[in-house]
Amino acid sequence: CETPYEKFLRQHHNNPKSSVGKQYCDVMMKRRGLDKPACKEVNTFIHGTKNNIIAVCTASGGKDYGNRLRVALRPFTVTTCRLKGGSTRPPCKYSDNKSSRYIVIACNRNGKPVHFDESI
Ligand code: U5P
């Protein structure tokens, strides 16, 4: 079954950014199963290497951010998908926003990311 780290990667890792056409978020949110049972409201995909994301859990790539969170020392290219309209019933339609941001994540005791909190 899927570990918390594997779930993090499914929800939040896409590198390099997949070329799926104009509606990146609509395609990716469905492809990664984030349209079930309801459309997820907000979800961020990180276009960075696994090694660079894992490094945020260490002193070389991140620092403590309180509340057991870690903030990256360097920005990542990310795409944030935001549900359009008021209904969370599929089919899910998203707006896409690609930007360079400092990700805030939680890591497990093995130094692997397990939660995406926000990007700043
Ligand atoms: N989330 C993102 N990107 C954001 C904010 C939230 O992907 O910029 C996702 C995370 O997976 C988080 C979930 O666990 O939304 C719920 O966020 P929240 O409602 O607890 O803030």
Side-chain angles (χ1 to χ4, degrees):
C1 69
E2 187 178 53
T3 66
Y5 171 56
E6 288 168 344
K7 181 178 179 182
F8 175 91
L9 293 177
R10 173 171 59 82
Q11 294 194 118
H12 300 298
H13 181 241
N14 181 230
N15 189 61
K17 184 180 178 183
S18 299
S19 300
V20 298
K22 201 159 67 85
Q23 304 285 10
Y24 172 84
C25 285
D26 291 358
V27 173
M28 290 299 293
M29 294 295 286
K30 185 175 171 67
R31 189 177 282 184
R32 298 297 179 89
L34 306 179
D35 62 333
K36 292 180 300 198
C39 307
K40 189 174 177 181
E41 297 257 13
V42 184
N43 189 71
T44 303
F45 292 102
I46 308 163
H47 312 304
T49 66
K50 277 191 242 185
N51 278 351
N52 284 345
I53 298 168
I54 290 168
V56 177
C57 300
T58 75
S60 72
K63 63 182 180 187
D64 286 341
Y65 194 64
N67 205 16
R68 298 188 206 142
L69 297 171
R70 306 275 304 172
V71 62
L73 297 180
R74 279 171 280 277
F76 286 83
T77 301
V78 304
T79 298
T80 296
C81 303
R82 196 169 297 274
L83 189 64
K84 289 196 275 199
S87 170
T88 59
R89 185 149 51 94
C92 315
K93 296 292 178 193
Y94 290 92
S95 61
D96 302 42
N97 181 57
K98 191 176 182 198
S99 56
S100 179
R101 288 180 174 270
Y102 298 87
I103 62 172
V104 178
I105 63 174
C107 303
N108 66 17
R109 56 191 168 169
N110 302 317
K112 295 291 201 304
V114 290
H115 166 72
F116 187 95
D117 202 72
E118 60 171 332
S119 64
I120 58 181

